[in-house]
Amino acid sequence: MLEFNAQTIAFIVFALFSLGGALGVVTTRNLIHATLYLILSLFGAAGFFVLLSAPFLAAVQVLVYIGAIAILIVFAVMLTRSMTRISDLYNRQWLLSAIVAGILFVVLLAGVIVPVWGVNGTQIDRPVSDVVAGTVDLGKALVDQNQYVLPFEVASLLLTAAMIGAIVIARDDQE
Amino acid sequence: MNLNDFVSDPNLLPWLVPVGPLLAFFVIALLTNRSRLVPAASHDYSDHNHPAYKGLMVPAVTVPSRIVTITVGLSGVIAAWLISLSVVSNALSIEKLGKTVLGNSVDWMATGATSFTMGVLVDPLTTIMLIMVPLACLMIFIYSIGYMAHDARQSRFFALISLFAGAMLTLVVADNLLLLFVGWEIMGLCSYLLIGFWYEKESAYKAAIKAFTTTRVADVIMLLGIAYLYASTGTLSFREILYNEEVLHALAETPAIIFGGISAAGLIGIFLIIGTIGKSAQFPLHVWLPDAMEGPTPVSAMIHAAAMVSAGIYAIIRMYPLFEAGGHPHEGDLTSPLMLMAVVGSFTALFAATIAVAQNDVKKVLAYSTISQLGFMMAALGIGAYIAAAFHLITHAFFKALLFMASGAVIHGMEHGDHHVHEHAHHDHDDDHVEDAHADHGHDDHHDDDHHGEDAHHAPHFDPQDMMNMGGLRKTMPVTFITFLIGGLSLAGFPLITAGFWSKDEILADAWVGVSHGYGPHMLVFFLLAIAAFLTAFYTMRQLGLTFWGEPRTEQAKHANLGQGIVSATMTLPLIILAFFAIFAGFVGVPPSFPIFGPIFAPEVNPFFEFVKYTLLPEMQPPKPPFNWIPVLTSFGVALGGLYVGYLVYWRKPLTAGQEDPLVKFLGGVYPVLKNKYYMDELYNRVFVRPSQVFSDVVVSQFIDRRIIDGLLHLIARIFTWTGDFLKLLNTWLIDGVGDGIPEYVAQFGAWFRRVQTGRIQQYLLLVAVAALLILLVFAVSSGLLVQAAG
Amino acid sequence: MIPLWMYLAVAAGIFCIGTYGVLTRRNAVAILMSVELMLNAVNINLVAFWRYIEPLNMAGQAFAAFVFVVAAAEAAVGLAIIIAVYRNRRSVIVEDVNMLKW
């Protein structure tokens, strides 16, 4: 099954970070705390990326997700402070949502495990290749006209539009 | 087919006989009845017969209209008279009329293979009727000119008597029983309209209804007889039934469908005779005739002399062969119809004569006299004296018409006197209150008599028709007196010189033949008729004495006269003409074997007898009665005897004012019975009229009409309203309920369901998640993954 | 090596926690954070699959990169909206923004 080596330990640590962070986000009342837990979870994800031989994505994750989005969320939390803190944490449908989430998890898990451990499992001990494409390949792929240049350009457009949109929406209208 | 053909062909000419008066009826009724409005209280309108409505304007015929009406009416009847004279002359020129006849018929209605024909027939019986009827009608028309000269509705009167005359002539020239019945019924209608001519008088309209309903009862039965005859023989034509031996024989042999004891001919005969009993006012249906005196006098003359009652007798004379079929009256074997006629006729003759003796109204005496004389005719026919009955019909028509019109003149004179008395009284009253005591007394007495609590100048209760108020009129109305006398003597049968004697004598002679052979019915007829003849003479003399002889018993009688001018001339002229006939009409029927008179008037044969006998089949023709002194002496005896007794009582010591009729003391307890007509009217009232009124009120009106018919209608209405309400309910529940319910339901559902849209996004998301899970589940199940997983 | 399914299980766990957070948190910013969690989980999934199935084809990483982009854009706009709503309503409780209801 699993070898007990540094990879495994790293995996467990990062898993803890991710899941713990996620749980923290969902359960804390204090939003700053929630943001911090989010950052923790994102770190965990970044760690996963490293383990999965995608260093560029790990870097991007930290830079973009944590460095930009999480900070943005902090600002938003600060700008939208509610007056009272006595309000409920969860809304009325927490039970049903928990059930749904639980079932979803079971289903997903089943979808993950069955092919592996099931009768016709195809993933049992499949060898993993060690030859991995690097960041340079990613860079090439993103601008190669036969590959992903179009989505790349469209993504940039999307970002532009989002930026403009965010500015417009959040702008102070008192002029 | 134009008018020329009608005039030139003697067979077609009889069609034109009724045309004149019928056409006159339409013209007068539609065109000449112009009137102007006059105040009802004025003398133009109100008199004994028209009430003086206060403050109303009523229409009265204008004078130009009167002149046109009279012209049209007179021309109608004169045309009828001239045409009938032409027809008569044509008929008389035919040898043995009866074997061959004048006549013409048209196919009126198709009845299967054959068709029902209607037409005209002129045989000897028709001929003698055509001599009498148009002449009498013409006299009555002339009389009416004067009599109705001041009546507000003279045009209507002339229209109605024209229709009456037209109907009678139709009946006379008819060649079948149906056309006869048509004329019969039209006359019934006219009698209703004319008796009730002054319809504002209660007694008048009641009398009209009485006449109509009484004759109607008889007419229905007669119609049954006609129907039965038609059903038995398939025809109603006189020649085919009555001049046809096989038909008569067959009818006499067939038993009747009900009352199996008599033959078909007998039953039909009895029904037809019942029709005549009604129409000619025999017992027990005689009650309408005296009340019919409510009509104007020309109407009485017409109905009771010339037309209606004569029509009844004419019908049975016409149908005589049917009655005789199967029997031999001249040998004493009477069939049932003949027996019925003999009994009813002779009984009625005596019955009516006894009532006439105690009547004080001049017209009522004549009414009962008519009933009595018709009984004579019916009895004569019953014993087979065919010719005698026909003869008496003709002579009776003349002298009875004369008597009625003369009595009308008397009444007119009395009213004139009444008018005079009133004017005089007013004049005196206005001028001077202190008058000659005698005159004053008389006038005041008179006024007191008349007032009865009413307006002093109007509605006197003086009865101008009461003979007790008359007396001594021979001085003021001489022409009337002479003609009335002639008519009365003819009625009484004054020997030898009057027509009535000859006809009555022939009846008695025929009856005596049977008596001498010992036939029961003939004996009954002979004796009863003899007694009736005696009474006839007596009451005639009584009437003459009370009216004309002696001294006037009242002021009105003293001043009674007809005045001068057109009115009186038109009223007296017919009297004179008819008086002539009342004397000389009898001489056509003198038997040749009669001493002295026979050889003068009937050298070889009795002209009337010889002429009329051919109406019948040879086997049926009655044998000539041989001359016998006994009936002649009987006639002499009863006539002269009755006249003498009347003379003794009423002429030798004429009644004075206020004196009671000696008959009252003589008859004692019987007198009130006679005066009240044996209480027959009261009896009928109790037995028929009141029950039917009660029936019509209680049963028909209240029960059948209100409860059943109205109830049914209300029920139907109620059913419909229930249905409507039910449908409404159905509508509300079903249609509104469903139609409105469904949208409402949908709306309610929508209102309930839209609460899903809470606006909370997290709820939406939750729903999405749940839905996604479900879809996943479906996929999983369908693709078998779950099975795999389970495995 | 760590088996694939472990990575996938973790990602599923993060995803479901994120779902739970989206469905139940009342604060809008918290919901947005939960959405970021979900996207993050997806990214982990994508990269794990890339590494274990076809590491030579750059599709996996490229896809993940694009998910980053979209997440960033969406976070920016979403927060801008939250701020705008906060300005108007003085509240970021999502339950209070419920005017598009019946």
Side-chain angles (χ1 to χ4, degrees), chain B residues 284-367:
Chain B
L285 294 173
H286 63 281
V287 290
W288 64 271
L289 198 142
D291 286 1
M293 298 298 124
E294 291 292 336
T297 307
V299 170
S300 309
M302 196 131 184
I303 290 180
H304 303 130
M308 204 154 118
V309 298
S310 304
I313 302 295
Y314 167 76
I316 54 173
I317 295 180
R318 172 63 77 192
M319 299 305 292
Y320 176 77
L322 186 66
F323 304 151
E324 196 190 294
H328 298 95
H330 302 290
E331 285 145 34
D333 176 23
L334 265 61
T335 59
S336 321
L338 292 179
M339 190 59 124
L340 179 69
M341 286 201 288
V343 170
V344 168
S346 45
F347 176 76
T348 308
L350 186 57
F351 175 79
T354 54
I355 299 179
V357 161
Q359 296 300 312
N360 282 338
D361 186 322
V362 61
K363 278 168 80 170
K364 288 263 169 38
V365 176
L366 294 174

Side-chain angles (χ1 to χ4, degrees), chain A residues 11-139:
Chain A
F11 176 78
I12 292 169
V13 168
F14 288 134
L16 278 170
F17 277 176
S18 312
L19 286 167
L23 276 170
V25 168
V26 174
T27 48
T28 46
R29 202 179 284 275
N30 189 338
L31 275 175
I32 298 295
H33 293 174
T35 316
L36 292 173
Y37 275 120
L38 180 67
I39 291 170
L40 182 64
S41 179
L42 292 172
F43 263 123
F48 279 136
F49 289 152
V50 170
L51 281 174
L52 288 170
S53 314
F56 177 68
L57 287 179
V60 169
Q61 168 94 338
V62 173
L63 275 171
V64 173
Y65 248 117
I66 298 169
I69 293 172
I71 301 303
L72 185 59
I73 288 172
V74 169
F75 275 111
V77 167
M78 283 198 295
L79 285 172
T80 62
R81 284 236 170 224
S82 56
M83 300 293 282
T84 166
R85 304 246 183 129
I86 318 170
S87 58
D88 294 327
L89 184 58
Y90 300 128
N91 63 16
R92 283 183 295 200
Q93 60 190 35
W94 64 268
L95 184 62
L96 194 58
S97 307
I99 291 167
V100 167
I103 292 173
L104 187 62
F105 182 63
V106 165
V107 168
L108 288 172
L109 215 55
V112 163
I113 291 178
V114 163
V116 179
W117 291 95
V119 180
N120 301 326
T122 55
Q123 296 299 327
I124 298 176
D125 291 333
R126 183 179 166 164
V128 182
S129 161
D130 278 330
V131 180
V132 173
T135 311
V136 176
D137 296 309
L138 176 62

Side-chain angles (χ1 to χ4, degrees), chain B residues 124-348:
Chain B
L125 186 57
T126 317
T127 313
I128 57 169
M129 290 296 282
L130 281 178
I131 297 174
M132 182 270 284
V133 170
L135 184 64
C137 290
L138 178 60
M139 293 301 112
I140 292 167
F141 270 61
I142 297 174
Y143 184 81
S144 309
I145 299 173
Y147 195 83
M148 302 298 283
H150 294 297
D151 193 283
R153 299 190 186 115
Q154 191 179 15
S155 293
R156 179 166 171 258
F157 184 79
F158 268 87
L160 291 172
I161 55 172
S162 298
L163 183 62
F164 204 137
M168 181 64 189
L169 291 169
T170 309
L171 182 139
V172 166
V173 299
D175 84 335
N176 63 65
L177 207 45
L178 189 64
L179 192 55
L180 185 143
F181 194 67
V182 166
W184 187 278
E185 288 296 332
I186 297 177
M187 283 202 290
L189 168 73
C190 288
S191 75
Y192 166 79
L193 290 170
L194 284 167
I195 293 171
F197 185 73
W198 292 311
Y199 51 78
E200 286 137 322
K201 251 170 109 176
E202 186 185 351
S203 53
Y205 69 69
K206 283 198 155 134
I209 292 173
K210 189 170 179 179
F212 195 71
T213 49
T214 317
T215 52
R216 202 87 195 98
V217 169
D219 291 344
V220 166
I221 298 175
M222 184 173 177
L223 193 58
L224 284 176
I226 294 176
Y228 187 20
L229 182 61
Y230 184 70
S232 311
T233 56
T235 176
L236 288 175
S237 163
F238 293 142
R239 287 306 272 186
E240 282 170 32
I241 300 175
L242 304 168
Y243 209 74
N244 187 330
E245 236 195 277
E246 297 104 45
V247 173
L248 290 172
H249 198 70
L251 284 173
E253 294 298 308
T254 327
I257 45 175
I258 50 172
F259 307 134
I262 51 176
S263 65
L267 189 64
I268 297 169
I270 289 177
F271 282 165
L272 294 176
I273 290 167
I274 292 175
T276 298
I277 288 178
K279 198 69 145 188
S280 297
Q282 300 298 291
F283 181 87
L285 294 173
H286 63 281
V287 290
W288 64 271
L289 198 142
D291 286 1
M293 298 298 124
E294 291 292 336
T297 307
V299 170
S300 309
M302 196 131 184
I303 290 180
H304 303 130
M308 204 154 118
V309 298
S310 304
I313 302 295
Y314 167 76
I316 54 173
I317 295 180
R318 172 63 77 192
M319 299 305 292
Y320 176 77
L322 186 66
F323 304 151
E324 196 190 294
H328 298 95
H330 302 290
E331 285 145 34
D333 176 23
L334 265 61
T335 59
S336 321
L338 292 179
M339 190 59 124
L340 179 69
M341 286 201 288
V343 170
V344 168
S346 45
F347 176 76
T348 308

